[in-house]
């Protein structure tokens, strides 16, 4: 039986291999040393800076790909934050997979009454993560999911690198909310457990901070959830507050 605090999860089925991170070759490729001693180029699914997480000589957990067409045989799955003694997921696709399962199960309290209608829903020239429909009045809601890995003084920070794409998505949600075309929301998924809330990072991307504040003022809703990460699985867990205004 699933723990009542676990809303959805992805099991790694003992497929992860603990390696040593050596260096980051570019945004999407790492060099790691496997237990055998061989050095391998590894795909990194998270293009963020990850400067506090990717530490040369530190542990990193990899998963082998079964796709013979891939240029890299291995993918980075998770690492360990030594300062906060915390496992952190490095795969930005996991939040969407977890939220999809939670929507299908209708277990997200912050979206109670909303039913999943479609994933990857296109509006104009943009594609949003999920389209929901209210079970009573038939209203439509566009939901964007954002991955959070950076933490500072117990607060999750987004983004950890400038994100023109992320800002554009939030601007478009604001426009659609103001038009009355859709209800709109952003769900931040922290791929770690050790944080009390989530906020923007104006020191990294001041434009995104301004866009987020403007969106909140015009009715875009912001929600947060954290994950429990272990070498065995990543699980979607409790809700955490999102702060949209600067102190």
């Amino acid at each position: 039986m699933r723990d009542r605090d676990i809303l959805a999860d992805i099991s790694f089925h003992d497929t992860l291999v603990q390696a040593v991170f050596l260096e980051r070759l570019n945004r999407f490729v790492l060099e790691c040393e496997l237990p055998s001693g061989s050095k391998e180029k590894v795909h990194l699914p998270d293009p963020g800076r990850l400067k506090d997480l990717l530490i040369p000589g530190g542990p990193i957990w990899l998963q082998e790909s079964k796709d013979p067409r891939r240029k890299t045989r291995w993918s980075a799955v998770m690492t360990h934050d030594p300062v906060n003694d915390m496992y952190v997921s490095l795969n930005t696709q996991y939040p969407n997979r977890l939220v999809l399962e939670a929507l299908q199960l209708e277990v997200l309290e912050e979206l109670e009454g909303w039913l999943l209608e479609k994933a990857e829903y296109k509006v104009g020239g943009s594609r949003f993560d999920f389209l929901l429909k209210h079970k009573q009045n038939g209203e439509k809601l566009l939901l964007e999911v954002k991955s959070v890995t950076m933490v500072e003084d117990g607060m999750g920070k987004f983004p950890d690198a400038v994100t023109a794409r992320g800002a554009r998505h939030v601007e478009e949600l604001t426009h659609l909310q103001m038009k009355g075309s859709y209800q709109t929301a952003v769900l931040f998924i922290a791929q770690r457990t050790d944080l009390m809330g989530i906020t923007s990072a104006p020191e990294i991307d001041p434009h995104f901070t301004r866009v987020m504040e403007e969106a909140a003022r015009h009715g875009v809703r912001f929600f947060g959830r954290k994950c429990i990460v272990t070498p065995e699985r990543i699980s979607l867990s409790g809700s955490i507050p999102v702060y949209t205004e600067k102190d």
Side-chain angles (χ1 to χ4, degrees):
M1 181 180 295
R2 176 181 285 174
D3 188 305
R4 62 190 180 92
D5 294 327
I6 302 302
L7 306 184
D9 63 9
I10 297 168
S11 174
F12 302 132
H13 302 293
D14 298 322
T15 60
L16 301 191
V17 172
Q18 184 176 338
V20 176
F21 168 66
L22 299 177
E23 65 174 317
R24 188 170 188 171
L25 303 178
N26 59 50
R27 287 179 72 199
F28 294 102
V29 180
L30 311 177
E31 184 175 56
C32 300
E33 183 177 326
L34 297 181
S36 64
S38 68
K39 295 180 180 179
E40 298 280 347
K41 289 184 172 61
V42 173
H43 172 62
L44 175 66
D46 188 335
R49 293 188 307 169
L50 306 171
K51 64 183 181 67
D52 296 325
L53 296 175
L54 295 177
I55 301 171
I60 190 166
W61 282 261
L62 313 178
Q63 192 170 50
E64 188 174 10
S65 172
K66 305 301 181 184
D67 185 351
R69 299 168 296 178
R70 275 191 37 160
K71 293 182 181 179
T72 51
R73 177 182 168 192
W74 298 89
S75 288
V77 173
M78 57 179 287
T79 186
H80 183 264
D81 179 347
V83 175
N84 299 289
D85 191 21
M86 178 64 47
Y87 292 111
V88 184
S89 168
L90 296 174
N91 192 325
T92 56
Q93 296 178 4
Y94 289 160
N96 285 64
R97 288 175 56 185
L98 291 167
V99 171
L100 174 60
E101 181 181 342
L103 289 171
Q104 291 170 333
L105 295 171
E106 299 179 37
V107 291
L108 293 172
E109 293 179 1
E110 59 269 47
L111 293 169
E112 186 175 358
W114 294 95
L115 303 176
L116 174 64
E117 187 155 294
K118 186 176 176 61
E120 296 292 320
Y121 183 69
K122 191 173 182 181
V123 179
S126 296
R127 193 179 301 273
F128 297 96
D129 291 325
F130 299 104
L131 173 68
L132 310 182
K133 181 177 180 180
H134 200 278
K135 63 173 65 175
Q136 292 183 344
N137 58 27
E139 270 193 301
K140 301 295 181 70
L141 183 147
L142 294 171
L143 177 67
E144 269 293 292
V145 176
K146 302 295 183 188
S147 168
V148 178
T149 56
M150 179 181 172
V151 66
E152 186 177 282
D153 298 326
M155 292 295 296
K157 306 292 287 287
F158 182 92
D160 86 331
V162 174
T163 174
R165 181 173 179 269
R168 188 182 73 250
H169 276 156
V170 176
E171 286 176 320
E172 290 167 341
L173 289 177
T174 304
H175 176 68
L176 292 167
Q177 180 76 39
M178 291 173 65
K179 280 180 61 179
S181 309
Y182 297 88
Q183 294 296 312
T184 57
V186 177
L187 177 54
F188 290 106
I189 302 297
Q191 299 207 74
R192 54 194 301 158
T193 309
D194 59 332
L195 66 180
M196 301 175 291
I198 295 172
T199 186
S200 64
E203 70 281 9
I204 294 173
D205 191 343
H207 176 61
F208 183 86
T209 294
R210 291 191 294 270
V211 166
M212 184 173 170
E213 292 173 347
E214 184 74 7
R217 282 196 291 270
H218 286 96
V220 179
R221 285 172 280 179
F222 290 86
F223 305 113
R225 287 270 172 181
K226 58 187 176 181
C227 292
I228 300 170
V229 183
T230 72
E232 290 75 41
R233 66 184 62 245
I234 176 170
S235 305
L236 185 63
S237 187
S239 62
I240 48 178
V242 175
Y243 301 98
T244 58
E245 297 290 334
K246 289 182 289 191
D247 293 334

